[in-house]
Amino acid sequence: MRSHRFYTPWLLMLPALIWLALFSVWPAINTITLSFTNVHQLTGGHFIGFKNYWLLWHDPHIRDAIVNTVIFMVVCVPLLTMLPLLLALLVQRQIPGIAFFRTAFYFPVIASAVTVALIWKWLLDDRGLVNNLAQSMGFIHKTIPFLTDRWLLLLSAVALTVWKGLGYYMVLYMSALGSVRRDLHEAAAVDGAGSVRRFWSVTVPGVRGTMVLIAVLIAVNAMRVFTELYILGGRTGGVGGQDVSIVMLVQQAASGGDGRLGYASAISVFLFFLTAIPLLFLTRLNKNAQEES
Amino acid sequence: MSATTADESSELRQPRGQDKPGRGQAVRHPGRKGRSPIFDAPTRTGLVFRYLTLTVVLVVSIGPMLWELSTALKSKTEDVFTQNIQLLPKHPTLDNFGQVQRTIPVWHFAFNSLTVAFINVAGNIIGATLAGYVLARLRFKGRKLLLGVFVSTLILPAEVTVISKLQFVNNLGLGDTLLGVCLPDMIAMINVLLMRNAFLALPKEVEEAAIIDGANAVQRLLYVGLPAVKGVLSVISIFAFIGAWDDFLWPLLVLQTPDKLTLTVGLSYLDGQWSHDPRVIAAGTMIALIPILALFLGLQRYFFRGVAEGAIKG
């Protein structure tokens, strides 16, 4: 019995195929093509070879962006890999009211990056809550310039990213913790292992797969950061314009009537190769794991 | 880009299956689920410690939002910059919301965001259901290859192709329009794959029976397939809605005319450009925050399920 005519699958898939072609495959190819041209927002352009990449190599802003990205990764990867696991352990046990806590911990994830960045901007303002609290308790005597100092602004954006990500990775860990063997925990406890010891030798190995996946996700997301720095730094990357991310450079290059789409595309291609590194690392790790077993 | 694979797709279906069988981990023992004296007798100090830690984390995670709410409700006469910190406003007022409305067409922005969100939800429901069903249930030449293409698009971060998409939307004459904002995410590839996984779970026999009864592919999709995937369909709808409501970079690039902005873009201009009063900015922020948190509270079981099933936005 025939289940369908030969053209039925293609007909039903047509909308998705159009979107696949026009908004995934074509933009990917076109980004590479554009990166070799001097196309602007309003005017066409022509092939200029590797000039955009040469400009990129000599662009002082890209160095700032790379430094910032590295700092983002170095802080975010360990913190967001470990803290959400501890948090997941904390909310895992069914105790009265735990559903309320889980829900509340997820609030920052649901809120848009723009809203939470505006909320943090007010908190970290020279005359905002954090400075006032620290002063009234006598910790500091001068205001801390969270939003105007080049490094403090960067660290504020990193802290915001960690804060916003906690709940998300907590939920990822919660489902992974369900598969950690309970009897191993009990056996370890009987053998006299304390809770810290059990955490490192039972829980962590039990969620290792999820942990690697989460670390890779965080690394990729650290490279894609935009909104947090854009809002906290007042659209321009802070006072000196040094608190920029790679995506911010893409946005800056493309904005306005004279938006340099060609140059912005070259930065995009660079960003793609950067995000591919953690993903390749993951594939490699998975392969090794498969060969082992 | 590597072409694809059953592994990758099964990973999507089962993100929790990190425990590779054969690596000796994670086999659940049905008999061991019960409570054991070592772990489950909560000591009083243990419990107090647990609640204390929970409370600290609670303050950290929702404290900033409460402070913003408090600022939004404070009247002009109340000093918000003082070191004498007051969480509760002395004379709570909604004046600041009126001030937002006088500064920017905030309800219009909210309506724009809603429009974009609903179009994206509709597009994803239709496009992802149709394609997901075909990829899961119909046999045809090139299916494996096509699935590989769908999967491989996932490694491409949206930010990388944003410029090319901008040029394309501008060339279509849709620059600076809401339709231009909607277009790229109207059918997200991740949703096609999530729907495919949902349809895969359907037992073959049911569908075979429908074929014998003479049902064509569309009838089978509508009457046999759809009722079984309602859960996942809700998940992708909610994620499409949130994704559109929260999106910032793309609408920022596409939109220029002030009255066409979405809420996130409008708020980013409110801050510093059109207002310097933290109370007003706080009120604007609350207008974006409260509806989405309410939606989350109403539908939260779908959220947690969505995250667990790999509906990762991005």
Side-chain angles (χ1 to χ4, degrees):
Chain A
M1 176 144 312
R2 287 224 355 221
S3 92
H4 58 86
R5 292 176 213 273
F6 75 92
Y7 55 77
T8 313
W10 302 100
L11 208 60
L12 292 180
M13 273 192 306
L14 197 61
L17 285 179
I18 292 174
W19 256 259
L20 174 71
L22 294 186
F23 294 103
S24 274
V25 178
W26 164 247
I29 299 166
N30 192 38
T31 303
I32 298 171
T33 321
L34 273 177
S35 75
F36 292 106
T37 69
N38 59 356
V39 170
H40 282 59
Q41 181 88 275
L42 297 176
T43 55
H46 54 85
F47 180 78
I48 55 164
F50 281 90
K51 195 163 169 227
N52 284 328
Y53 291 95
W54 188 85
L55 284 173
L56 184 63
W57 179 252
H58 292 89
D59 189 338
H61 298 300
I62 194 76
R63 273 173 223 176
D64 288 331
I66 292 171
V67 168
N68 296 341
T69 303
V70 169
I71 291 175
F72 252 93
M73 281 177 54
V74 167
V75 184
C76 286
V77 172
L79 281 184
L80 275 179
T81 310
M82 292 316 290
L83 289 179
L85 176 57
L86 296 175
L87 211 55
L89 287 171
L90 192 66
V91 299
Q92 189 195 20
R93 173 94 58 102
Q94 288 298 337
I95 51 177
I98 199 67
F100 163 75
F101 287 103
R102 275 184 205 156
T103 307
F105 295 170
Y106 206 71
F107 273 13
V109 183
I110 291 302
S112 75
V114 173
T115 21
V116 295
L118 286 173
I119 291 174
W120 271 56
K121 201 176 175 189
W122 170 225
L123 278 184
L124 298 175
D125 192 271
D126 280 355
R127 297 184 292 166
L129 183 68
V130 174
N131 265 312
N132 280 332
L133 215 55
Q135 275 177 354
S136 68
M137 293 201 284
F139 290 142
I140 52 167
H141 301 289
K142 274 199 310 196
T143 51
I144 307 172
F146 289 111
L147 302 176
T148 41
D149 179 83
R150 189 248 185 277
W151 298 110
L152 280 177
L153 175 54
L154 183 68
L155 290 181
S156 303
V158 172
L160 168 58
T161 309
V162 171
W163 174 81
K164 189 172 172 17
L166 283 177
Y168 180 70
Y169 299 109
M170 172 189 86
V171 174
L172 289 186
Y173 273 126
M174 274 161 62
S175 49
L177 280 176
S179 60
V180 174
R181 279 172 67 182
R182 204 184 171 79
D183 53 344
L184 279 183
H185 256 297
E186 287 167 8
V190 170
D191 288 346
S195 51
V196 175
R197 181 73 201 275
R198 287 204 308 273
F199 173 76
W200 288 109
S201 39
V202 183
T203 309
V204 171
V207 297
R208 206 182 62 176
T210 308
M211 203 172 229
V212 172
L213 192 72
I214 284 179
V216 167
L217 268 176
I218 298 163
V220 172
N221 287 340
M223 296 167 177
R224 300 168 53 196
V225 71
F226 171 72
T227 313
E228 290 81 355
L229 270 173
Y230 181 85
I231 300 283
L232 282 187
R235 286 176 287 275
T236 54
V239 178
Q242 287 180 296
D243 290 290
V244 286
S245 70
I246 299 169
V247 179
M248 259 176 93
L249 292 182
V250 172
Q251 180 261 339
Q252 282 174 2
S255 292
D258 61 342
R260 299 146 74 199
L261 298 187
Y263 186 55
S265 298
I267 309 175
S268 305
V269 172
F270 171 68
L271 174 66
F272 172 71
F273 281 110
L274 220 54
T275 57
I277 297 170
L279 293 174
L280 283 175
F281 170 77
L282 180 70
T283 334
R284 178 111 197 203
L285 217 64
N286 280 346
K287 217 182 213 166
N288 286 348
Q290 267 169 12
E291 275 162 15
E292 263 176 52
S293 59
Chain B
M1 273 165 224
S2 72
T4 306
T5 89
D7 289 307
E8 271 165 283
S9 54
S10 69
E11 189 133 347
L12 272 171
R13 188 163 57 246
Q14 274 283 337
R16 69 182 69 186
Q18 302 309 329
D19 38 311
K20 307 229 162 39
R23 304 215 75 211
Q25 296 164 355
V27 184
R28 240 195 174 183
H29 295 251
R32 301 293 256 149
K33 267 191 194 161
R35 313 206 122 213
S36 90
I38 300 171
F39 284 94
D40 294 305
T43 57
R44 187 173 285 260
T45 38
L47 213 56
V48 168
F49 175 74
R50 220 164 240 269
Y51 278 113
L52 261 175
T53 324
L54 284 168
T55 311
V56 170
V57 182
L58 182 72
V59 169
V60 172
S61 52
I62 67 166
M65 295 178 184
L66 289 178
W67 181 245
E68 190 82 346
L69 178 64
S70 152
T71 309
L73 296 175
K74 280 175 180 163
S75 67
K76 287 271 173 278
T77 53
E78 188 168 355
D79 187 0
V80 291
F81 301 108
T82 171
Q83 290 186 21
N84 176 21
I85 289 144
Q86 299 285 338
L87 182 59
L88 293 177
K90 275 187 208 119
H91 310 288
T93 169
L94 294 176
D95 283 354
N96 298 316
F97 291 87
Q99 189 58 40
V100 177
Q101 201 184 330
R102 282 186 291 278
T103 316
I104 55 171
V106 67
W107 305 116
H108 188 65
F109 291 167
F111 179 76
N112 287 346
S113 284
L114 263 184
T115 311
V116 172
F118 276 121
I119 292 178
N120 272 357
V121 170
N124 276 292
I125 286 182
I126 298 167
T129 303
L130 290 174
Y133 176 77
V134 171
L135 288 172
R137 312 301 305 195
L138 300 185
R139 312 213 136 267
F140 58 94
K141 244 189 171 159
R143 183 171 78 153
K144 274 225 153 117
L145 180 74
L146 198 59
L147 190 63
V149 178
F150 273 106
V151 172
S152 62
T153 62
L154 297 184
I155 64 162
L156 205 64
E159 290 83 357
V160 169
T161 52
V162 98
I163 297 305
S164 180
K165 281 184 251 179
L166 179 68
Q167 194 204 25
F168 183 59
V169 166
N170 283 343
N171 287 347
L172 287 177
L174 294 174
D176 199 22
T177 65
L178 285 181
L179 188 59
V181 176
C182 299
L183 221 45
D185 287 335
M186 258 174 80
I187 304 175
M189 299 308 133
I190 177 78
N191 290 337
V192 171
L193 293 169
L194 285 171
M195 286 313 291
R196 171 183 174 264
N197 287 333
F199 281 119
L200 273 181
L202 221 70
K204 242 195 177 110
E205 293 73 23
V206 182
E207 197 164 23
E208 275 162 7
I211 295 178
I212 291 168
D213 287 345
N216 66 33
V218 176
Q219 287 166 332
R220 277 169 359 235
L221 164 61
L222 288 178
Y223 303 115
V224 182
L226 266 190
V229 298
K230 272 188 204 148
V232 179
L233 209 53
S234 327
V235 169
I236 67 163
S237 312
I238 295 164
F239 276 74
F241 188 92
I242 305 272
W245 182 269
D246 287 356
D247 199 14
F248 180 58
L249 174 62
W250 175 247
L252 180 73
L253 285 169
V254 174
L255 301 171
Q256 277 100 36
T257 319
D259 71 305
K260 284 183 184 151
L261 304 183
T262 58
L263 198 49
T264 49
V265 181
L267 282 179
S268 79
Y269 287 125
L270 177 67
D271 164 55
Q273 231 141 319
W274 292 328
S275 173
H276 288 279
D277 187 344
R279 302 175 190 84
V280 177
I281 297 166
T285 312
M286 283 299 131
I287 293 173
L289 185 62
I290 290 170
I292 210 77
L293 290 188
L295 185 77
F296 168 59
L297 284 177
L299 302 166
Q300 54 174 312
R301 64 197 175 98
Y302 292 111
F303 277 92
F304 291 131
R305 187 171 154 195
V307 175
E309 288 191 23
I312 296 160
K313 204 248 151 184

